[in-house]
């Protein structure tokens, strides 16, 4: 009898420990190290959060991040309560819940990678790459972006305005260097922050 009570107490303690460990892990923030070519928009997409959340948490101004910079990514409280309830549900229920959320995650990551990589930049396809990326990521037509880029830089990707310091295809004031891919990421972030007003449209 003593052994049975001891086993029940031990099992209950272990279960409680696992439950609380799950709750602590669910509320833990993630840390992400910025890589070359990253943008705040891409990082927010990766962690299923908003640009505003990433920038506010890390005190980022003007979407400006540097390779090697460590960012804290806050997890949303709604996903925490879902994981806690999934942990305490029956094994059949949690299997179906987790498989459906995995399917959703896979679908959303597939669709975001499809939209963000409509084509790959090779150097010789500058116009088609930039226009397809901008149209698919902002919803603004390729012809509008063509007009903006022609007006701003005449399709010269590394031009710098000697007066204002604006850089690249989009004559972006928030960056002073960067590859074509980085310029596209910065332009998308600028569009999300200011809309077409960033280009006086």
């Amino acid at each position: 009898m003593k052994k049975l009570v001891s086993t029940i107490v031990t099992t209950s303690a272990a279960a409680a420990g696992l439950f609380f460990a799950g709750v602590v892990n669910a509320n833990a923030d993630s840390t992400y190290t910025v890589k070359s070519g990253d943008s705040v928009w891409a990082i927010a997409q990766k962690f299923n959060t908003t640009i505003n959340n990433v920038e506010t948490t890390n005190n980022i101004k003007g979407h400006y991040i540097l390779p090697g910079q460590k960012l804290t990514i806050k997890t949303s409280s709604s996903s925490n309560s879902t994981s806690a309830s999934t942990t305490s549900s029956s094994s059949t229920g949690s299997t179906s819940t987790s498989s459906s959320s995995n399917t959703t995650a896979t679908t959303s990551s597939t669709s975001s990678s499809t939209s963000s990589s409509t084509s790959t930049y090779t150097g010789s396809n500058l116009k088609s790459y930039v226009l397809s990326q901008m149209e698919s990521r902002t919803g603004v037509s390729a012809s509008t972006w063509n007009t903006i880029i022609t007006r701003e830089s005449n399709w010269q990707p590394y031009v710098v305005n000697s007066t204002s310091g604006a850089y690249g295809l989009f004559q972006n004031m928030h960056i002073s260097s960067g590859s074509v891919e980085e310029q596209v990421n910065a332009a998308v972030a600028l569009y999300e922050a200011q809309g077409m007003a960033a280009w006086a449209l």
Side-chain angles (χ1 to χ4, degrees):
M1 182 69 178
K2 217 179 222 183
K3 190 171 183 180
L4 178 62
V5 170
S6 167
T7 304
I8 290 170
V9 169
T10 305
T11 307
S12 300
L18 285 171
F19 176 76
F20 287 116
V23 170
V24 169
N25 288 340
N27 290 328
D29 295 336
S30 300
T31 302
Y32 178 77
T33 304
V34 177
K35 298 178 186 62
S36 180
D38 274 345
S39 68
V40 179
W41 175 85
I43 294 166
Q45 291 291 303
K46 183 180 187 120
F47 288 93
N48 197 24
T49 186
T50 63
I51 290 175
N52 191 43
N53 188 12
V54 174
E55 292 188 333
T56 304
T57 304
N58 296 282
N59 200 24
I60 296 170
K61 303 284 184 231
H63 312 299
Y64 189 70
I65 53 176
L66 294 168
Q69 183 177 351
K70 296 209 181 296
L71 301 179
T72 301
I73 312 294
K74 292 214 175 275
T75 53
S76 67
S77 54
S78 62
S79 66
N80 294 345
S81 60
T82 305
S83 10
S85 65
T86 303
T87 306
S88 61
S89 64
S90 70
S91 63
T92 309
S94 66
T95 302
S96 65
T97 304
S98 85
S99 68
S100 76
S101 66
N102 286 344
T103 305
T104 306
T106 306
T107 307
S108 67
S109 74
T110 304
S111 67
S112 74
S113 68
T114 304
S115 67
S116 64
S117 60
T118 305
S119 60
T120 304
Y121 180 59
T122 61
S124 60
N125 65 342
L126 172 68
K127 214 168 198 178
S128 61
Y129 169 79
V130 171
L131 293 178
S132 68
Q133 286 286 305
M134 294 306 294
E135 183 174 53
S136 67
R137 289 170 64 179
T138 65
V140 176
S141 72
S143 62
T144 300
W145 287 115
N146 184 37
T147 302
I148 289 169
I149 295 167
T150 302
R151 181 191 73 193
E152 296 292 334
S153 66
N154 201 24
W155 285 97
Q156 297 176 50
Y158 306 108
V159 68
V160 178
N161 183 314
S162 57
T163 308
S164 67
Y167 174 76
L169 291 166
F170 302 89
Q171 287 296 282
N172 193 333
M173 299 284 289
H174 301 287
I175 58 172
S176 57
S177 64
S179 65
V180 169
E181 293 92 334
E182 289 169 322
Q183 291 179 48
V184 167
N185 288 338
V188 169
L190 185 58
Y191 170 79
E192 288 176 345
Q194 299 178 21
M196 298 310 286
W199 294 275
L201 289 181

